[in-house]
Amino acid sequence: MARHRKPHAFPAVTVRARRQLAACLVGASALTATLLSQTVTPAAPPAPDRAPAGHTLPDPQAAP
């Protein structure tokens, strides 16, 4: 005897549209977070015992 499956609750078009919307929202939020983190200055100054961001200290073993 053949087995019949229960029909889907939502049509495939609706499921695909929901997934696409979710992917767009994730991408938009990631882009917004990136732009926001690049434009907003931190509230606290950098710690005095650390080098500023983007600054590399010289390697002591590379000295001749």
Side-chain angles (χ1 to χ4, degrees), residues 19-34:
R19 287 182 181 162
Q20 187 174 9
L21 177 62
C24 289
L25 290 175
V26 167
S29 64
L31 180 63
T32 302
T34 302

Side-chain angles (χ1 to χ4, degrees), residues 8 12 25 31 36 48 56 58:
H8 294 286
L25 290 175
L31 180 63
L36 187 63
T56 57

Side-chain angles (χ1 to χ4, degrees), residues 16-64:
R16 186 172 49 228
R18 286 181 178 187
R19 287 182 181 162
Q20 187 174 9
L21 177 62
C24 289
L25 290 175
V26 167
S29 64
L31 180 63
T32 302
T34 302
L35 293 174
L36 187 63
S37 66
Q38 294 294 321
T39 57
V40 174
T41 56
D49 60 337
R50 296 185 180 224
H55 179 73
T56 57
L57 297 174
D59 188 12
Q61 295 178 357

